[in-house]
Amino acid sequence: MYSKYFSEEHQAFRESFREFLKKEAVPHIERWEETGQIDRDIFKKMGDMGYFGLYYPEKYGGLDLDFFYTVIFLEELQRLNSGGFAAAMWVQAFLGAQHLLKEGDKRIKKDYLEPTLTGDLIGCLCITEPFGGSDVAGMRTTAVKEGDHYIINGSKTFITNGVYSDYLVVAAKTDVEAKGRGISIFLLDRDMPGISATKLNKLGWRASDTGEIGFDNVKVPVENLMGEEGKGFPYIMQHFALERLIMAINGHARAEYALEYTIGYMKDRTAFGQSLDKFQALRHKLADMLSEVEMAKNFNYSIAEELDKGLYPVKEASMAKLLSTKISDEVIYGCLQFLGGYGYIEEYPLARMSRDSRLGPIGGGTSEIMREIIAKMTLDGKDYKPAAK
């Protein structure tokens, strides 16, 4: 079938990655969901195959491929029906690692970025705080410079890979009077004294370790400051477009998989002498859902193309996240309804899928924040630009 965005090479990659996941991940998903801990060796296997480095330069061990390989990476992870496992993998590939790539010096790239891409080190990104939520500029974690160290105090929460990771990319206030302009980005090793982590018990994404992190007088060498002091806010903002597009792609892929499963169920399940796919009320509802997901998917692909060309689609990525996560929630809710009582049973995939999907309109910036960003850009003339190099 013709595709504007995917070549034969892309399709071959999709097939090979799907086979890899079937062999290396699928047999362990239920155990990871039960324990809330993913085996470290899957990170290494993913890294050895180059999956974490698809979008990274070759000089750091990446493959320097176009962004549509990453789109496939994200879509195939959603087919495993474990939002937590998928999150742990794409967080490893993108959240902290993007800061290492863009703001890290040569030492940091060699000692942390390269082993992140190979899966030898696991990282996390610590921005959200217990009292801050989406209010990045209002964070309370501080970093006070004392000689050749910064002393970091504060806390972060809802941090994916926050319990079992080897290092943390942490945002903290170096100037408490400067609001957003006073934020800086630091690299912390997990074994630095004063770092604590508590695993959170979540509704969904249960395979991933989501933590609340505490910093109690943590001494961080000055060379672990990434980028310029006080430039942390624009550094954070420039990576949000990518994160929100990732969340949008996750949404359409999750909904697409739910529909694929539900259509198979409807063809096999009979009621009143005919299969469910013959009932007009269900057929027409399904047609609506298929149409919405297809529109969201192609909108997301168009933004992925912009990102791949080096553009900075903040408004469009915000729109994509807002609509794709909303559509995903609604479609999965509808699919669960089509299964009737079986949709409510844990042995069927829609129960977990509905829990995992619910984080879409929350994580990476809530839907309310997405609406405000879109309103600021269209009504107030606000222009978001990437951080100056």
Side-chain angles (χ1 to χ4, degrees), residues 141-153 172-176 186 217-220 222 229:
T141 299
T142 59
V144 178
K145 192 173 183 180
E146 294 185 3
D148 59 356
H149 285 79
Y150 287 89
I151 308 300
I152 295 184
N153 285 283
K173 282 282 186 72
T174 44
D175 184 350
V176 296
F186 298 90
N217 291 315
V218 181
K219 291 182 64 176
V220 181
V222 292
E229 185 177 288

Side-chain angles (χ1 to χ4, degrees), residues 192-323:
M192 287 179 173
I195 299 176
S196 60
T198 302
K199 184 185 288 188
L200 299 174
N201 187 14
K202 309 184 297 294
L203 173 68
W205 282 24
R206 297 191 66 84
S208 65
D209 57 300
T210 303
E212 183 164 323
I213 316 296
F215 306 100
D216 182 10
N217 291 315
V218 181
K219 291 182 64 176
V220 181
V222 292
E223 57 264 28
N224 281 27
L225 170 71
M226 295 206 295
E228 296 182 42
E229 185 177 288
K231 293 289 186 68
F233 188 77
Y235 293 153
I236 293 166
M237 292 298 109
Q238 77 175 357
H239 298 309
F240 271 165
L242 173 59
E243 182 181 356
R244 287 162 183 168
L245 178 57
I246 287 171
M247 294 290 283
I249 293 167
N250 289 341
H252 84 236
R254 187 166 52 246
E256 195 167 52
Y257 175 66
L259 286 166
E260 179 183 315
Y261 176 84
T262 301
I263 288 171
Y265 176 88
M266 292 172 67
K267 288 180 179 295
D268 292 338
R269 180 86 161 106
T270 59
F272 305 103
Q274 60 181 348
S275 59
L276 296 186
D277 64 324
K278 302 302 182 185
F279 288 88
Q280 187 181 73
L282 303 184
R283 291 163 62 91
H284 289 186
K285 175 64 175 175
L286 188 72
D288 287 342
M289 295 192 294
L290 287 164
S291 300
E292 289 181 333
V293 172
E294 192 68 23
M295 290 177 64
K297 180 172 70 171
N298 280 278
F299 182 52
N300 293 343
Y301 287 171
S302 73
I303 302 166
E305 185 177 42
E306 290 186 24
L307 194 71
D308 198 48
K309 292 179 178 178
L311 303 177
Y312 189 54
V314 174
K315 180 181 69 177
E316 293 80 3
S318 301
M319 290 174 169
K321 182 186 183 298
L322 173 66
L323 292 180

Side-chain angles (χ1 to χ4, degrees), residues 119-159:
D120 291 290
L121 290 181
I122 299 173
C124 66
L125 178 62
C126 303
I127 296 176
T128 303
E129 298 191 352
F131 300 100
S134 296
D135 181 13
V136 175
M139 70 174 55
R140 302 181 185 182
T141 299
T142 59
V144 178
K145 192 173 183 180
E146 294 185 3
D148 59 356
H149 285 79
Y150 287 89
I151 308 300
I152 295 184
N153 285 283
S155 60
K156 303 290 180 178
T157 196
F158 309 139
I159 309 304

